[in-house]
Amino acid sequence: MSAVETSVVETVGPLVARPSAPLPARRTALRKFGALPTPSLEWNAEVERDTAHLYERVKTVVPSIEWPFFAPYVRAINAVKKERNAVILAHNYQTPEIYHCVADFVGDSLQLAREATKVKADVIVQAGVHFMAETAKILNPDKTVLIPDVRAGCSLASAITGEDVRLLRERFPGVPVVTYVNTSAVVKAESDITCTSSNALQVVESLGVDKVIFVPDQYLAKYVASQTKVKIIAWKGSCEVHERFTGDELAMIRANDPSVQIVAHPECPPDVIAASDFTGSTAHMIDYVRKHRPKRVVLVTECSMADNVQAELPDVQFTRPCNLCPHMKRITLPKILDSLLHMKEEVVVDPATTEKARRAVERMIYLKS
Ligand code: SF4
């Protein structure tokens, strides 16, 4: 069981008011690439034949009655992707028909950020939330980056502004700022280095200092503080999906089935982490299940991840609870197709912010493991 000792030295809250809406999308991509006609979205024998190999991947989690709705979109998206020379980056919280049937690269934020540095395509479609699309844009300023629904935000990203980070630096002069990637480009630009839940501890310790400012997730900060001697000044942000889990509900599940494995994300509160058998980023959670093949497991995170791993490992039984992320769920097959056909919504980050934010993200990506 993971023990959690809270050694965060200070947690500070919002210092200024914060409207943190994404930058308004512009229509330059449409002018550059032009619109494509909407392909047929009819379900017929040809579509069934062309998508049969993809249905094989998801048949344990997508009922056959739903496939005639998804399949025409899957076929159309895969065809339009080629025509646009586009790739789709999909986060582990995307639904199985996106994750297994149209994505070119899947993973957690760190894996997607790394893939974004290697992309050869002209267009990147981010099947995830806005800060992820911004990260892809920061790493590929010359490529067109699209997000199928610009309203796909994140409670962590909207918990802090660039102005907050500047005020934190004034209050704690000389203390470096480690910023979780779940933040806007503007916040990254004010930071020394970014981190993900995969590498947060490594990043904090890489700085060789005895104190860091860690924003914006208070629970990830507590988790990191429990594993290091570095003093952490945390911020009062949280993930609205992971903070809803409780240690009590996990204790009840374990009481009903002592053999169940409980695997939690470090954005969860400390009592949830204390009640779990393993804590790690979404990529590490998936690796844990692949390696240990538990008979029954609870993935204490967003619901679609269990579906995506279930499709790959049908012999493992995934037990609820899980919570849906309303922002991730804004991304759907119809919106991805619309995004590719009409080149929307284009993600725009101004050059000065891109330059500064890229330094913080690349410092993380190229950190020696
Ligand atoms: S799951 Fe939480 S951290 Fe991830 S996008 Fe949703 S609100 Fe943000």
Side-chain angles (χ1 to χ4, degrees):
M1 259 188 222
S2 321
V4 176
E5 257 181 47
T6 307
S7 53
V8 168
V9 291
E10 188 166 354
T11 302
V12 281
L15 303 173
V16 289
R18 66 186 28 67
S20 179
L23 279 173
R26 295 183 199 147
R27 309 313 303 265
T28 50
L30 183 58
R31 282 199 293 279
K32 181 173 169 192
F33 292 89
L36 291 173
T38 305
S40 163
L41 294 170
E42 190 192 332
W43 166 249
N44 55 34
E46 194 186 330
V47 175
E48 185 173 10
R49 189 195 61 222
D50 288 356
T51 58
H53 65 294
L54 296 171
Y55 187 59
E56 272 302 300
R57 296 181 189 171
V58 294
K59 66 182 182 191
T60 54
V61 289
V62 175
S64 57
I65 198 165
E66 289 178 15
W67 189 242
F69 169 74
F70 293 138
Y73 283 99
V74 166
R75 190 171 83 145
I77 288 168
N78 286 327
V80 177
K81 245 183 2 183
K82 283 195 192 127
E83 202 167 334
R84 291 288 198 204
N85 190 22
V87 294
I88 297 178
L89 307 182
H91 188 264
N92 290 326
Y93 295 160
Q94 291 296 296
T95 48
E97 68 281 3
I98 295 173
Y99 183 93
H100 287 288
C101 300
V102 301
D104 297 281
F105 302 102
V106 295
D108 65 7
S109 301
L110 180 60
Q111 290 168 320
L112 295 181
R114 286 202 170 117
E115 289 303 335
T117 64
K118 304 178 202 154
V119 164
K120 296 273 189 291
D122 297 322
V123 179
I124 298 171
V125 179
Q126 180 69 59
V129 295
H130 194 266
F131 76 78
M132 295 174 179
E134 275 194 336
T135 305
K137 181 67 183 174
I138 289 163
L139 295 169
N140 294 277
D142 299 330
K143 295 191 194 308
T144 298
V145 176
L146 305 175
I147 183 153
D149 189 329
V150 78
R151 297 167 302 167
C154 169
S155 65
L156 278 169
S158 58
I160 190 160
T161 65
E163 176 66 3
D164 288 327
V165 180
R166 286 194 292 278
L167 290 169
L168 277 169
R169 283 195 190 276
E170 274 173 28
R171 185 155 157 193
F172 304 101
V175 181
V177 177
V178 177
T179 294
Y180 194 25
V181 286
N182 297 33
T183 45
S184 66
V186 172
V187 169
K188 290 183 178 83
E190 297 293 337
S191 311
D192 293 280
I193 187 167
T194 61
C195 73
T196 69
S197 50
S198 283
N199 63 14
L201 176 64
Q202 186 199 355
V203 167
V204 164
E205 295 199 330
S206 75
L207 298 175
V209 293
D210 60 5
K211 193 188 279 186
V212 300
I213 297 167
F214 188 101
V215 296
D217 187 353
Q218 58 182 309
Y219 296 124
L220 181 60
K222 282 183 183 164
Y223 180 66
V224 172
S226 74
Q227 321 255 312
T228 182
K229 291 194 165 62
V230 179
K231 303 262 182 294
I232 307 268
I233 297 160
W235 184 254
K236 270 192 187 143
S238 53
C239 162
E240 67 188 82
V241 173
H242 290 99
E243 74 175 349
R244 295 210 305 271
F245 294 107
T246 67
D248 286 349
E249 65 184 323
L250 298 183
M252 260 164 55
I253 290 167
R254 203 184 285 283
N256 284 336
D257 178 3
S259 70
V260 75
Q261 290 280 294
I262 299 178
V263 179
H265 193 278
E267 288 170 14
C268 293
D271 62 328
V272 171
I273 290 175
S276 66
D277 298 291
F278 175 77
T279 301
S281 67
T282 54
H284 291 160
M285 292 168 83
I286 294 171
D287 286 347
Y288 181 91
V289 179
R290 279 192 189 125
K291 188 168 159 209
H292 294 272
R293 294 292 179 104
K295 212 167 159 202
R296 274 182 297 284
V297 65
V298 184
L299 293 185
V300 189
T301 190
E302 214 275 346
C303 298
S304 288
M305 198 168 98
D307 292 338
N308 290 329
V309 189
Q310 175 82 85
E312 181 192 326
L313 305 173
D315 51 318
V316 177
Q317 190 186 321
F318 291 84
T319 305
R320 270 26 185 177
C322 63
N323 290 328
L324 281 171
C325 172
H327 312 290
M328 288 280 180
K329 293 298 161 289
R330 284 190 182 279
I331 309 300
T332 61
L333 288 176
K335 287 183 191 170
I336 292 173
L337 179 60
D338 192 42
S339 172
L340 281 163
L341 293 175
H342 301 106
M343 301 305 291
K344 65 181 195 185
E345 299 290 343
E346 187 177 1
V347 176
V348 180
V349 183
D350 73 75
T353 304
T354 296
E355 189 56 36
K356 288 169 75 187
R358 190 169 61 221
R359 271 205 294 273
V361 176
E362 286 185 343
R363 191 171 173 194
M364 166 192 77
I365 289 176
Y366 300 119
L367 203 64
K368 285 206 173 61
S369 53

